[in-house]
Amino acid sequence: MTAATGPRQTIARTALFEEVAERLRSRIFAHELRPGSWIDEQALTAEYGISRTPLREALKVLASEGLITLRPGRGCQVTELGEKDLDELFPILALLEGRCAYEAAERADAAHHATIRTLHDQLEALAQDGDIAGFFEVNQRFHQLVQEIAGNRWLTQIIQDARKVLKLTRFHSLFMAGRLQESLAEHRELVGAILARDPVRAQRAMEHHLQQGRRAIDAID
Amino acid sequence: MTAATGPRQTIARTALFEEVAERLRSRIFAHELRPGSWIDEQALTAEYGISRTPLREALKVLASEGLITLRPGRGCQVTELGEKDLDELFPILALLEGRCAYEAAERADAAHHATIRTLHDQLEALAQDGDIAGFFEVNQRFHQLVQEIAGNRWLTQIIQDARKVLKLTRFHSLFMAGRLQESLAEHRELVGAILARDPVRAQRAMEHHLQQGRRAIDAID
DNA sequence: ACTCATAATTATGAATTCAACCCGATTCGG
DNA sequence: CCGAATCGGGTTGAATTCATAATTATGAGT
């Protein structure tokens, strides 16, 4: 970062600890920092060229997000999820995203329908090409779109928090490989329900989709 | 490593910033620190006899819980909730606690049933005496008990987080005054459903209970 | 050789110090 | 007389320093 910090005035200046937190999240999700491993504060401060103060602030935030577990007096480590955690988290996600699907089916207008179609078509194409990373990315955008149409910011926030925690499992990014076609079929049903403005069917489709997601992880392990 | 018994001497040493965060939460919930008001770091450090470092760490945590809003470069203030936030939060709570009631009705054993009866009897007595503060306290314990019986720690965590945010509205502690009898009746239905091991009815009762809660706040405003 | 006790090292937690920025008041210019 | 720029006080943000507790290493004793 060069010293050419011009007039950063009116634009919302992001705090340093926020940037650090975001960089740490990325590394955790990429499993560069593995679940169970200890956080080396010195190494990170040296690498980022910052002091321990903002780093430790960032760690506190990540801890309250559940990504990191604090061990007072001993340090902190990346959180490890067990089977039980998955069994608990997926039903919650099914419940919350199911509600989103319900609301989205009720509220979506023509423009929303068009965007949904566009994203879904992209998914079909990416599945055809076997582009798993791309599929994963667009899939995420699709789910976010449903939440956005539902229009409940707190609901979106809670879902995103839960999904962040789920990203701690490496399977989460892998399992989809063997499930591209299945996942796509479930999406088709969901999209169909939303376009038909059928809230109940949309909800059921989303819940089923996420329940299948839990099963798929088990199949790998 | 030979000694199997590690240094378990200091069992749950709580970090200073945790204590500070808890004290700040209490003051926020008590509306001693009012929504919209700015946080005076110096005054708080002087009052608590600590330095700014742990205080600022606590503020970061409270911010990620949604209780405080950070304004980079300017400070931070207690979060203010609007009508829209209430409209968004209550349905989520109804959804999540409704699920808890469902699970609780399925899983509760005889001991659970006894505890539920005890707590509910306390509620009846407190309502009879018009002890609003006591009712509020035990009511909270009752809801927590249902969550505990449901046995999903992540679900409990999310519910508690949402309830923490709701506590930002002063109405939340007031509205119950004019709703003691109504609330009690809703609880009776809920308790009856759980004791009868009727998950569907328990879920409906809990959802109804929370929807009524939202309406009651409106009635005051 | 193994175990336990003790010392050295290192890391954590918190206080203190330092720099940069925001806000308000004053002053200068139109 | 009003508006804009500037200066100063005070607060925030981050680095540094210090104290304490934990872990590792060392050495003596069995």
Side-chain angles (χ1 to χ4, degrees):
Chain A
M1 188 77 73
T2 55
T5 49
R8 186 76 65 94
Q9 45 200 24
T10 337
I11 304 161
R13 192 184 67 175
T14 62
L16 181 53
F17 84 94
E18 290 274 13
E19 292 178 34
V20 174
E22 189 50 45
R23 295 180 71 170
L24 287 176
R25 276 190 209 98
S26 300
R27 296 178 72 166
I28 290 173
F29 296 154
H31 294 273
E32 187 181 335
L33 298 173
R34 284 174 309 174
S37 68
W38 291 88
I39 299 291
D40 188 337
E41 293 186 4
Q42 294 189 10
L44 290 173
T45 56
E47 185 178 340
Y48 292 158
I50 61 174
S51 74
R52 279 175 58 218
T53 307
L55 172 64
R56 288 172 58 82
E57 288 174 348
L59 291 175
K60 302 291 185 300
V61 172
L62 266 52
S64 79
E65 290 175 2
L67 297 181
I68 276 183
T69 305
L70 299 182
R71 302 289 170 84
R74 300 184 53 183
C76 56
Q77 47 190 0
V78 181
T79 302
E80 270 184 296
L81 292 188
E83 287 293 314
K84 185 152 191 277
D85 294 302
L86 297 179
D87 286 334
E88 294 185 355
L89 281 166
F90 269 93
I92 297 173
L93 221 49
L95 200 64
L96 297 176
E97 295 212 46
R99 165 62 65 101
C100 279
Y102 183 97
E103 298 283 340
E106 274 190 341
R107 304 161 72 118
D109 59 24
H112 290 140
H113 283 181
T115 314
I116 286 177
R117 274 208 198 84
T118 304
L119 272 184
H120 182 71
D121 287 348
Q122 284 182 33
L123 280 179
E124 297 271 5
L126 289 164
Q128 192 86 21
D129 301 346
D131 182 348
I132 296 169
F135 188 93
F136 190 70
E137 175 69 25
V138 175
N139 179 63
Q140 209 159 21
R141 287 233 307 279
F142 180 88
H143 280 263
Q144 280 170 5
L145 174 63
V146 174
Q147 294 162 36
E148 189 187 321
I149 296 173
N152 185 325
R153 285 168 310 171
W154 285 97
L155 186 50
T156 300
Q157 176 71 43
I158 294 172
I159 291 169
Q160 294 301 333
D161 282 353
R163 281 192 171 260
K164 260 191 274 188
V165 177
L166 271 183
K167 276 186 165 184
L168 283 165
T169 75
R170 66 192 168 88
F171 301 125
H172 190 255
S173 53
L174 289 179
F175 83 92
M176 205 167 276
R179 233 178 74 76
L180 276 187
Q181 289 306 323
E182 267 186 290
S183 181
L184 208 49
E186 292 155 17
H187 266 72
R188 273 190 217 109
E189 166 65 10
L190 173 61
V191 169
I194 293 177
L195 294 182
R197 303 190 197 277
D198 186 338
V200 174
R201 201 178 121 214
Q203 176 175 357
R204 253 203 301 267
M206 180 66 94
E207 287 178 357
H208 176 73
H209 178 48
L210 288 165
Q211 283 159 4
Q212 289 301 107
R214 173 66 185 99
R215 286 208 320 104
I217 289 181
D218 253 345
I220 294 177
D221 190 26
Chain B
M1 181 61 76
T2 55
T5 55
R8 199 55 55 103
Q9 206 77 14
T10 57
I11 3 180
R13 199 188 84 175
T14 62
L16 180 54
F17 85 94
E18 289 276 10
E19 292 179 32
V20 175
E22 190 50 43
R23 295 179 71 170
L24 288 176
R25 276 191 211 100
S26 298
R27 296 178 74 167
I28 291 174
F29 296 154
H31 295 273
E32 189 181 332
L33 298 173
R34 285 176 309 176
S37 67
W38 291 88
I39 299 291
D40 188 337
E41 293 187 3
Q42 292 190 3
L44 290 173
T45 55
E47 186 180 340
Y48 292 159
I50 60 172
S51 74
R52 281 177 56 220
T53 307
L55 172 65
R56 290 172 57 81
E57 288 174 348
L59 291 175
K60 304 291 185 297
V61 171
L62 265 52
S64 81
E65 288 175 2
L67 297 181
I68 277 184
T69 305
L70 298 181
R71 300 293 170 80
R74 299 184 53 183
C76 56
Q77 48 190 8
V78 182
T79 303
E80 271 182 302
L81 291 187
E83 287 293 315
K84 185 152 191 274
D85 294 303
L86 297 179
D87 286 335
E88 294 185 355
L89 281 166
F90 269 93
I92 296 173
L93 221 48
L95 201 64
L96 296 176
E97 295 213 46
R99 165 61 67 100
C100 278
Y102 183 98
E103 298 282 341
E106 273 190 342
R107 304 160 71 118
D109 58 25
H112 291 140
H113 283 181
T115 313
I116 286 177
R117 275 208 196 86
T118 303
L119 272 185
H120 182 71
D121 289 347
Q122 284 182 34
L123 280 179
E124 298 272 4
L126 289 164
Q128 191 88 20
D129 302 346
D131 182 348
I132 296 169
F135 188 94
F136 190 72
E137 174 69 25
V138 176
N139 179 64
Q140 209 161 22
R141 288 234 305 280
F142 180 87
H143 280 263
Q144 280 170 6
L145 175 62
V146 173
Q147 292 163 38
E148 188 188 322
I149 296 173
N152 184 325
R153 286 167 310 173
W154 285 97
L155 185 50
T156 299
Q157 177 72 43
I158 293 172
I159 291 170
Q160 296 300 334
D161 283 352
R163 280 192 170 261
K164 264 191 274 189
V165 177
L166 271 183
K167 277 187 167 185
L168 283 167
T169 75
R170 66 191 169 92
F171 303 123
H172 191 256
S173 53
L174 291 179
F175 83 91
M176 207 166 275
R179 234 179 72 77
L180 278 186
Q181 290 306 324
E182 269 186 290
S183 183
L184 209 50
E186 292 154 18
H187 267 71
R188 275 189 215 109
E189 165 66 11
L190 173 60
V191 170
I194 293 176
L195 294 182
R197 304 188 194 278
D198 186 338
V200 173
R201 201 178 120 212
Q203 176 175 358
R204 254 204 301 267
M206 180 68 93
E207 286 178 357
H208 176 72
H209 178 48
L210 288 165
Q211 283 158 4
Q212 289 301 106
R214 173 65 186 98
R215 287 206 320 106
I217 290 182
D218 254 345
I220 293 179
D221 193 27

